[in-house]
Amino acid sequence: MLTISTGNNAVAAAVRQAIPAVVAAYPITPQTEIVEQIANYVTNGSLKSKYIPVESEHSAMAACIGASITGIRTFTATSSHGLLYMHEMVNWAAGARLPIVMANVNRALGPGWNVWAEHTDSLQARDTGWLQVYVATVQEAYDATIMAFRIAEDRRVYLPVMINLDGFSLSHITQQLEESEIGDFIPPLMLDHAIDTKAPAGYGCMTPSTDYFRIRYDIERSMRDSVAVIRETEDAFATKFGRKYSWTENYRCEDAEVLVLSMGTLGKEAEVAVDILRDEGVKAGAMRVRWIRPFPELDLGDRELVVIDRNYSFGFGGILASSIRAKTGRQCYNVIAGIGGQEVTYNDIAGFIRNRRIGEETWFGVDA
Amino acid sequence: MFEIRLHSRGGQGGVTAAKLMALAAFRDGKYATAAPFYGAERRGAPIVSFIRIDDKPIKIYSQIHNPDLVVVLDPSIIDLVNVFDGLKPDGKVLINATEVPAKAAGYKVSLVDLTGIALKINLIVAGSPILNTPVIGALAKMGLFSRESASAAIKEMFSDERNYQAALMAFEELV
Amino acid sequence: MTDIRVQIVMSGTSATEYICKCTSACAGCSSSLILRHVLKAAGPDTVLVVPACCTSVLQGVWPNTAFNIPVYNVAFAAAAAVASGMAAAFESMGKNTNVIAYAGDGGTVDIGIQALSGALERETNFLYICYDNEAYGNTGMQRSGSTPIGARTTTTPGGKVHKKKDLDRIIAAHNLPYMATACSAYPQDLAKKVQKALSIKGPKFMHILAPCPPGWRYDASKTIEVGKMAVKTGLWAMYEREYDLLTISGPTKAAMIKPAPLEDYFKMQGRFSGLKEEQVKTVRGEMERNLRMLKAEAEGC
């Protein structure tokens, strides 16, 4: 069915297709619309889920953990301070190998209060063992949410998945959305280590160093195995629904001599900047990085790189740029932009590319 | 691409009006996006929404700085915000008012009394006249989208018949 | 993926024993005694949710466990919320499995109270048990909100200056279908209360006094005597409240009529060695107020 939707409502609509048995919900701007819409579905009977209106985000993730370990499908959504508040349980969910799916609406961190888009919230959770995907359109928010359940619940993965969408600029924008009947696209969840009172077992008790170490290594092994699962899932999705996704979305990259890399909605805006530069005779291309965990192999060639980071690791650098440098050994021009919802237009991005200074970092608009 | 900037106050239905515009354009077979820009989410605070309509997918998420059309749901905002900022030289302005505000002199202004229409048919929710559905009628008259798509959009989002009536009245009233 | 669960190591114990003879609890540990009776009362179709506390340690070390029941260990603040999710999940599957959160006083009156309050307010179908040894025992006896005034802990070397938090009245304010207090020294009373709690749908709460030999500084052999003395003095009042109906348990009724001297309870424990006269007065005042309120409620005044 072709309709229009906000990014938030697209996530909720995808959750309705996935039918989690338990949804834990706590409101936070700009995520609230997701849990409101799911509450509507549960109230009007179009989604048969137990809806737990928890008293905090810490409890939202805790409730998902308690529900998930019984072997059922779970979902929650959060943003910014909510994600930080549940950080302990975010780690726990991955360590407990639970296929929880969570939408995080990317928002800046206080103080001061700022409800607009920034990726520092979810990137602070990049070392937790969660898979993380960043989306840029309403359709992609819907599709990625559906795929997240299948990826998380795959026996080769058994790790939670976080779908990240930019606060307001994607969560609240209205675009067209094709809703799909997913049928058997997400197989029934079979959690091998689910609680069974007929075969009692302990979970998460005191664990000596060597065993603990091995269990942590297992998380990394599954993270590596998830690469194939993500590829298979995105391919199966393309075959079934005709919408194709991959590790990155590449726009006019084939013959490009300079690439602009970014995440989220800025990546779409960058495509418009590329068109402008191409008209000027500059061979530019835009590469939007979708998956951050597992971090993809990037096909960068020997092209010059401009990396836009809507986030920052204080004392170190933009996190996408740092990751690219660490993974590929390539230098780049790192532009810190869009922090706290800063307005960044395609003209601005064209300017970043035109005025690139490889090896340097700049804070757009504030770095004199 | 046709770019519209819509000015309203929190609680007047500007965000819904933007969604309706996108839906109507979408029902015309166009691509459309509607992006409200939220400041403080208080009733009465000035709010701006950005609507883009195009024949191809829209990749722009940033604000509209050079609109083709400015829509003002509350004329009192004109005293607070420069609603004409960046308006294209041939750009148009639609204002919910019965006479042209002084600051609007020199612009291509169309007037429609959306508040009057809402009050006339008692389209009032929680004490406020509803402006978001009548404005769709006026915009259909301006050729932003077809009359059929405008009515389809309204009927898709609202079950109360008065919303359609109000849009029809605005359509007929706008010269 | 490695199976991260742990297997039962001990066998040969009675089918109705769910705690095998290989816990790493301290000698005279009354919290493991409480749990033994809780699980016997609850039966095998039970899942235990345990936040950080002595119980997370005494169940044993991976890949072995001393508990013959599914135990889900969780982060300190999370027990009630994890139990919420679990209860909802079992409900969605049509299962009647008991969900019991078993938490210490620190995990209940301090860091876990927000999640607990939320779970009670949402009418979660579970039993939350706070076993109260009046300090953070697992980390070596630091003060908690449940530590009584005057008690020495490692963070109150001069004796605690603040009163014990009145957890039960906080819980009672949630108007839940069943709540009860109990003591490790009265296992039959305790077991009956657990059974009654589990027969009721909705949120249930039990607050069980758990004397702790190393923390309270008394000989391990005296763990039952100390528990009994807490009740006999009237300091630890045992009762159950089914909706609005309060029933005071037998030993507390007796203590209301003829209480044992409070000083006898303090004298048994090294933690009270520095107790000041005015602190005894404070404790006595609090105790008398508590008993007066309970009596008035039980008599319907």
Side-chain angles (χ1 to χ4, degrees):
Chain A
M1 188 186 66
L2 207 54
T3 181
I4 61 158
S5 170
T6 62
N8 278 340
N9 282 336
V11 170
V15 169
R16 179 161 65 171
Q17 288 289 327
I19 320 176
V22 169
V23 174
Y26 191 78
I28 180 168
T29 304
Q31 169 277 123
T32 308
E33 216 176 33
I34 297 177
V35 294
E36 285 176 341
Q37 187 61 11
I38 292 174
N40 284 334
Y41 291 151
V42 171
T43 304
N44 70 25
S46 66
L47 173 60
K48 301 263 180 284
S49 296
K50 296 279 173 196
Y51 187 88
I52 311 181
V54 286
E55 82 296 330
S56 74
E57 288 93 351
H58 193 276
S59 287
M61 188 48 62
C64 283
I65 287 168
S68 182
I69 191 57
T70 69
I72 54 110
R73 185 168 293 157
T74 57
F75 175 83
T76 190
T78 191
S79 173
S80 178
H81 286 261
L83 182 63
L84 267 59
Y85 193 49
M86 66 166 69
H87 190 75
E88 177 185 36
M89 303 317 289
V90 167
N91 278 272
W92 202 281
R97 308 308 303 266
L98 297 173
I100 296 165
V101 172
M102 172 163 68
N104 178 61
V105 181
N106 290 107
R107 171 190 143 179
L109 306 171
W113 287 122
N114 179 306
V115 295
W116 296 287
E118 183 180 329
H119 297 146
T120 311
D121 57 355
S122 51
L123 287 173
Q124 284 194 5
R126 70 191 182 280
D127 302 337
T128 55
W130 281 62
L131 281 65
Q132 283 199 18
V133 61
Y134 290 73
V135 301
T137 68
V138 167
Q139 185 70 55
E140 191 186 357
Y142 178 86
D143 295 343
T145 303
I146 287 170
M147 284 187 269
F149 286 99
R150 175 157 156 172
I151 294 164
E153 293 173 6
D154 191 293
R155 185 174 273 113
R156 292 166 288 175
V157 179
Y158 280 162
L159 284 171
V161 177
M162 191 187 300
I163 305 112
N164 292 284
L165 52 154
D166 287 343
F168 290 111
S169 49
L170 182 54
S171 66
H172 283 63
I173 200 170
T174 297
Q175 293 176 340
Q176 70 175 58
L177 171 68
E178 184 171 0
E179 290 189 46
S180 309
E181 287 301 323
I182 63 162
D184 59 358
F185 182 77
I186 311 173
L189 170 57
M190 305 295 285
L191 190 70
D192 294 342
H193 54 290
I195 277 186
D196 181 359
T197 55
K198 292 187 183 72
Y203 295 77
C205 59
M206 294 287 289
T207 308
S209 309
T210 314
D211 297 318
Y212 178 85
F213 201 111
R214 189 156 56 81
I215 289 166
R216 300 311 276 189
Y217 177 54
D218 273 342
I219 295 175
E220 175 54 17
R221 274 205 312 209
S222 297
M223 192 58 94
R224 290 173 193 179
D225 290 346
S226 76
V227 170
V229 177
I230 290 168
R231 195 184 301 123
E232 286 168 27
T233 303
E234 288 178 343
D235 287 350
F237 191 89
T239 304
K240 186 155 181 155
F241 304 108
R243 297 188 292 275
K244 209 166 161 32
Y245 297 97
S246 189
W247 302 101
T248 57
E249 186 181 36
N250 300 340
Y251 183 73
R252 303 180 85 165
C253 287
E254 300 80 14
D255 64 336
E257 289 166 0
V258 55
L259 291 182
V260 58
L261 293 107
S262 58
M263 292 153 61
T265 53
L266 282 179
K268 278 283 173 197
E269 191 98 16
E271 294 183 9
V272 182
V274 162
D275 288 341
I276 292 171
L277 290 169
R278 287 273 176 172
D279 288 346
E280 294 173 7
V282 179
K283 284 192 172 175
M287 186 177 283
R288 179 169 64 86
V289 180
R290 296 182 68 247
W291 289 91
I292 282 293
R293 290 292 181 275
F295 197 83
E297 297 291 333
L298 298 174
D299 177 20
L300 302 176
D302 56 357
R303 296 170 286 199
E304 288 190 60
L305 309 176
V306 175
V307 180
I308 306 173
D309 267 297
R310 189 169 218 164
N311 65 80
Y312 202 73
S313 174
F314 293 109
F316 198 70
I319 294 167
L320 181 60
S322 309
S323 306
I324 290 169
R325 275 196 294 264
K327 275 277 178 188
T328 67
R330 296 287 314 280
Q331 283 304 311
C332 65
Y333 178 45
N334 191 191
V335 183
I336 312 303
I339 300 258
Q342 182 197 35
E343 167 84 344
V344 181
T345 68
Y346 49 87
N347 281 324
D348 297 327
I349 297 173
F352 302 159
I353 301 169
R354 278 188 212 108
N355 306 321
R356 60 189 179 276
R357 302 190 302 273
I358 304 299
E360 290 187 32
E361 173 188 299
T362 190
W363 286 57
F364 171 56
V366 294
D367 196 359
Chain B
M1 187 173 352
F2 194 78
E3 296 186 309
I4 307 137
R5 196 169 63 210
L6 186 149
H7 295 269
S8 63
R9 287 183 184 274
Q12 282 184 327
V15 174
T16 308
K19 274 187 198 176
L20 275 166
M21 288 158 71
L23 183 56
F26 176 62
R27 291 290 170 230
D28 268 352
K30 301 279 182 82
Y31 289 92
T33 64
F37 181 77
Y38 286 85
E41 291 179 62
R42 304 181 326 272
R43 291 203 154 241
I47 285 185
V48 58
S49 295
F50 305 103
I51 302 98
R52 290 184 166 96
I53 301 172
D54 204 353
D55 295 324
K56 52 186 200 296
I58 298 160
K59 299 171 172 182
I60 304 171
Y61 289 81
S62 54
Q63 300 173 19
I64 291 172
H65 300 280
N66 300 107
D68 298 282
L69 169 67
V70 165
V71 179
V72 182
L73 287 188
D74 189 330
S76 71
I77 287 177
I78 295 173
D79 294 329
L80 302 172
V81 179
N82 181 9
V83 299
F84 312 106
D85 188 32
L87 182 65
K88 281 186 184 152
D90 57 344
K92 292 179 185 167
V93 182
L94 175 69
I95 305 175
N96 169 27
T98 48
E99 54 190 70
V100 178
K103 285 187 179 171
Y107 295 101
K108 290 178 192 160
V109 177
S110 301
L111 296 180
V112 61
D113 183 14
L114 303 172
T115 309
I117 290 170
L119 292 175
K120 206 174 291 171
I121 58 166
N122 200 29
L123 186 60
I124 297 168
V125 172
S128 303
I130 296 300
L131 309 175
N132 51 29
T133 43
V135 77
I136 298 304
L139 291 166
K141 186 69 164 285
M142 291 177 82
L144 216 62
F145 26 71
S146 68
R147 188 176 157 165
E148 293 70 32
S149 294
S151 88
I154 291 170
K155 285 173 178 169
E156 212 169 301
M157 283 178 69
F158 295 95
S159 53
D160 190 331
E161 182 66 22
R162 284 175 301 173
N163 287 293
Y164 174 69
Q165 269 177 41
L168 197 61
M169 286 165 77
F171 185 90
E172 280 158 7
E173 188 181 309
L174 191 79
V175 192
Chain C
M1 177 189 143
T2 306
D3 191 338
I4 57 169
R5 298 172 300 174
V6 292
Q7 269 74 47
I8 306 301
V9 68
M10 284 293 290
S11 60
T13 49
S14 155
T16 53
E17 289 289 353
Y18 299 98
I19 298 186
C20 304
K21 296 173 185 168
C22 53
T23 73
S24 50
C26 307
C29 171
S30 70
S31 70
S32 48
L33 188 63
I34 292 167
L35 188 55
R36 179 181 180 215
H37 296 299
V38 167
L39 294 179
K40 277 167 172 279
D45 193 19
T46 299
V47 177
L48 207 59
V49 178
V50 179
C53 61
C54 289
T55 307
S56 35
V57 176
L58 65 84
Q59 59 195 264
V61 174
W62 197 94
N64 303 316
T65 177
F67 292 6
N68 193 4
I69 197 116
V71 180
Y72 202 65
N73 290 288
V74 297
F76 217 166
V82 168
S84 276
M86 213 174 262
F90 286 136
E91 213 174 309
S92 78
M93 291 185 263
K95 286 187 181 176
N96 292 317
T97 302
N98 299 314
V99 177
I100 302 179
Y102 193 68
D105 50 292
T108 304
V109 309
D110 292 343
I111 195 168
I113 199 160
Q114 173 180 315
L116 172 58
S117 177
L120 296 176
E121 182 269 334
R122 294 189 300 270
E123 299 184 13
T124 305
N125 183 28
F126 80 136
L127 169 60
Y128 188 104
I129 296 175
C130 170
Y131 65 97
D132 188 353
N133 65 359
E134 303 189 322
Y136 288 87
N138 193 26
T139 43
M141 294 320 273
Q142 294 77 36
R143 143 211 217 282
S144 80
S146 206
T147 302
I149 192 167
R152 285 187 204 274
T153 68
T154 57
T155 50
T156 55
K160 193 191 179 203
V161 294
H162 305 114
K163 290 177 291 190
K164 182 182 172 88
K165 190 187 279 189
D166 191 349
L167 173 66
D168 299 317
R169 288 197 169 82
I170 296 170
I171 300 299
H174 292 79
N175 297 317
L176 63 172
Y178 185 84
M179 65 178 288
T181 56
C183 174
S184 58
Y186 298 86
Q188 282 162 318
D189 172 80
L190 186 160
K192 262 189 234 165
K193 286 170 176 168
V194 171
Q195 274 164 351
K196 183 180 264 183
L198 292 174
S199 72
I200 296 166
K201 197 171 156 54
K204 289 85 61 175
F205 175 84
M206 285 182 70
H207 189 183
I208 306 178
L209 187 69
C212 169
W216 294 13
R217 302 184 205 174
Y218 62 81
D219 187 280
S221 66
K222 306 281 187 204
T223 211
I224 298 297
E225 277 175 52
V226 171
K228 284 202 163 158
M229 191 56 84
V231 173
K232 282 178 176 172
T233 54
L235 191 57
W236 185 257
M238 300 204 299
Y239 60 85
E240 60 186 334
R241 189 185 282 114
E242 234 179 305
Y243 294 101
D244 290 339
L245 185 68
L246 179 84
T247 309
I248 295 166
S249 309
T252 294
K253 271 189 195 161
M256 281 171 162
I257 296 160
K258 194 174 178 235
L262 204 46
E263 289 75 7
D264 289 2
Y265 175 69
F266 294 136
K267 271 189 276 177
M268 299 171 91
Q269 305 167 55
R271 64 172 172 156
F272 289 119
S273 58
L275 199 63
K276 298 179 185 75
E277 196 48 47
E278 68 268 27
Q279 289 175 325
V280 176
K281 253 172 76 182
T282 302
V283 174
R284 189 185 304 282
E286 289 285 303
M287 178 187 84
E288 284 171 354
R289 191 172 69 98
N290 181 39
L291 294 176
R292 205 163 53 237
M293 285 165 79
L294 288 172
K295 196 156 178 259
E297 188 186 336
E299 288 167 357
C301 316

